[in-house]
Amino acid sequence: MRTEFPKIFSEISIRRHRLRNRVVFGAHTANMSDNGVPGDQHIAYYVERALGGAAMIVVEPMPVHAATVLTRGNFRHSDDTVIPAFKKLTDSVKQHGAVVLQQLYHVGSHGDSDLSYHPHWSPSGGPSYHDSDGSHTMTEPEIEETIAHFVAAAVRCQKAGFDGVEVWAAYGGLLDQFWTPFYNKRDDQWGGTLANRTRLSREILRRIRESCGPDFIVALTVSDEPGCPTALSRDEIAEIISLLDQDQLIDYVTCGSGGYFDYGSLMPTFLYPERLGADLSARLKKVVRHALVIAESHIRTPENAEITIGEGAADLVSIVRGQIADPHLVNKARNGAPEDIRGCLSCNQMCWGRRSRDYWISCVVNPSVGREAEWGGDRFRPAERPRRVLVVGGGPAGLEAARVAAERGHKVVLAEASDRLGGAFRLAGEQPRRAQILDLIQWYETQFRKLGVEVRLNSYMEGADVASIGADAVILATGSIPGETGFQKALPDRPALPGIENGNVFSAESVMARQARVGSRVVVLDETGGWKGCGTAWKLAEQGHHVWLVTPDALVGKELQRTSADAPLRRALKRLGVGFHTETSIASWQGHAAVLISHLTGATETLEADSLVMATTNSAFNWLALELAEMGIAFVEIGDGVAPRQAPYAFYEGRKAGMSVN
């Protein structure tokens, strides 16, 4: 065992269950259910993390009542037909040494009528922060009905083989709403005093214990929203947890961050500090006498986990996105190879981002996520016979293709035209707070050294060069290039930007590559709605430029809404003095000023500036593919060289290409 992680790899018990280490794969919505039950896809997803060494797995939340259905992929509530399917899941996970629980939830006023077709239930009929609906004030019989449904769900979990349940009192859910005076304005036995406001949670926990027995784990999850005047303070949460702990109603409490008031920190991106949940867990550690404390939220690495436990802020840590990105994180750390862990980028693009669009979750850097059943996990079968493989292009698609082919035993040459690996993805890593991308590229470099991949930098390949290598398989990952005409999708009748010939017009890529010399006053046109334009504007503003960000969208960072990064980003830009022009495009460029045109009124205004930076859709850089086709050389083309898209699809196609070499 590697000595730098002694805290993580010490055992601990919860009730009669001995955990092999202190790392939990905490509850999150994977959205993979098949007609309301876990199928092979969902089971394989959890099994891979059990194989990877997680000590305890908390399966995604089960709605306990019709009023709380929140996603298309929710499990069936109030229905015993789920038991056999969950029994298959629990048996499979336990077979690989992990303790397994299920989370139970009720979102209260924040339901989703589109899915539930049921009024949202809440303590006092407050508004939903999930959408524009209002909610129904629960009657006492409805409160009793809800308690009964929580208990029935826990009994169902026990019959399905779960070792316990984690009751959801976080992120502004129903139990949290009963605790919080902002939501709970009742004057009966369920409101007013602390004893009354906690009555619902105490009754649920007590009755679950009575129904499921002394060996069944009964736990709670909470979160905090510091700085929000209507949310409970950490001291108030600590008072509640102390009350529950004194009565020995909980075996552990998981501490997250954020909620419906502070949505961005609920699933924090790289814009937030790491170990965000450790502050609340440290506060609760001071008041509990019986329950264990788990820190969750932005704890991505073994180093994060070791620090959190070592400083006494928690007994265990929940690493969720870190184990999505690398399901074998725990074993790699245990086996003395933390440098082999594929790091999470904290981008939320394919985990939270896909789930928020009601798809099953995946991962930018690990395309096997959600495909474990189809691909045999996040592992590779050796090739039947090693081949010589040439990969052209060292961006995300080429990096993954080269790594996977080498993992399978092929002899790989990776040719990159520039003097470093990463392609345009490296440029994204140069944006503020995005250095995790550079860490990932370094991870690939480490893997290439271990796998014997021959990396040839400054190697611009032409058809004759490809032919001279004589590879058995050729994979082209040549990427894409920015447009040169200044064409804007929002102005489709104009094939080029009027005035582009006046100069001082640059691509976002050239700015991030330090190839452009922009003036002090910069207009950034962002047609992509993501980090390409917004991150470049942020970088320029940090460097002291006066920046205006122009977008045809109704808000800056439109595509980042799905990751919950858009609001924190806009705050960061505003702190740096960046001006916003929304629902606007560039009518023309005068060399020293941009003429803006409003999509709402058609009115124009002139904005004096020294430089114009354009973040628009790229074009495929596929000339080598065309040349090889003419030469009759077989190849597989992947990534932006096929069609410019976001990074996840490049990693996905790289994985597929590497696995397909036979």
Side-chain angles (χ1 to χ4, degrees), residues 87-365:
K87 187 67 168 63
K88 184 178 178 182
L89 185 155
T90 59
D91 287 346
S92 299
V93 169
K94 289 179 180 181
Q95 181 182 348
H96 297 290
V99 172
V100 58
L101 286 77
Q102 183 158 58
Q103 193 176 79
L104 305 179
Y105 85 108
H106 195 305
V107 293
S109 61
H110 311 309
D112 189 335
S113 298
D114 285 335
L115 287 162
S116 70
Y117 277 79
H118 192 291
H120 312 339
W121 284 6
S122 70
S124 303
S128 168
Y129 279 73
H130 174 79
D131 52 32
S132 59
D133 292 342
S135 63
H136 163 72
T137 301
M138 297 171 73
T139 64
E140 290 215 47
E142 288 166 345
I143 292 174
E144 288 292 341
E145 178 182 333
T146 299
I147 295 171
H149 274 249
F150 266 103
V151 175
V155 170
R156 203 172 292 119
C157 287
Q158 188 175 44
K159 291 178 179 178
F162 285 102
D163 298 309
V165 292
E166 186 178 280
V167 176
W168 203 55
Y171 313 125
L174 182 69
L175 272 63
D176 187 11
Q177 289 170 33
F178 268 86
W179 290 348
T180 307
F182 170 79
Y183 290 109
N184 188 346
K185 305 182 188 307
R186 303 178 71 99
D187 57 6
D188 58 6
Q189 65 171 332
W190 307 99
T193 66
L194 181 64
N196 283 351
R197 286 185 284 118
T198 59
R199 188 182 305 278
L200 175 63
S201 53
R202 287 186 287 115
E203 282 299 302
I204 289 170
L205 296 168
R206 181 181 62 80
R207 295 187 200 180
I208 290 175
R209 171 66 63 219
E210 289 177 352
S211 299
C212 296
D215 292 335
F216 196 67
I217 298 171
V218 181
L220 195 70
T221 182
V222 297
S223 65
D224 66 344
E225 300 173 85
C228 178
T230 51
L232 294 174
S233 69
R234 285 182 186 143
D235 286 343
E236 289 171 320
I237 296 172
E239 186 178 12
I240 292 169
I241 296 303
S242 177
L243 179 66
L244 301 177
D245 183 67
Q246 288 170 20
D247 293 340
Q248 299 188 42
L249 293 173
I250 52 175
D251 297 312
Y252 73 77
V253 56
T254 295
C255 303
S257 62
Y260 281 96
F261 297 131
D262 183 11
Y263 203 68
S265 65
L266 193 156
M267 189 69 68
T269 63
F270 53 82
L271 294 165
Y272 288 85
E274 297 201 344
R275 303 196 307 123
L276 206 56
D279 290 336
L280 178 59
S281 69
R283 180 70 184 88
L284 299 190
K285 275 283 288 179
K286 295 178 180 178
V287 301
V288 295
R289 297 293 177 267
H290 306 285
L292 298 177
V293 177
I294 301 177
E296 190 172 68
S297 185
H298 223 190
I299 298 172
R300 302 178 303 109
T301 67
E303 291 81 5
N304 286 163
E306 187 71 17
I307 291 169
T308 302
I309 297 173
E311 68 187 14
D315 300 295
L316 302 98
V317 294
S318 173
I319 301 178
V320 177
R321 285 175 295 176
Q323 291 185 90
I324 294 175
D326 194 329
H328 301 278
L329 175 150
V330 177
N331 282 344
K332 289 177 180 179
R334 175 184 283 278
N335 294 335
E339 70 277 3
D340 287 342
I341 294 170
R342 180 199 297 110
C344 166
L345 302 182
S346 301
C347 66
N348 283 358
Q349 190 171 342
M350 297 295 281
C351 52
W352 185 244
R354 275 179 61 88
R355 173 258 179 269
S356 71
R357 300 177 73 194
D358 226 359
Y359 306 141
W360 48 267
I361 70 169
S362 190
C363 178
V364 168
V365 300

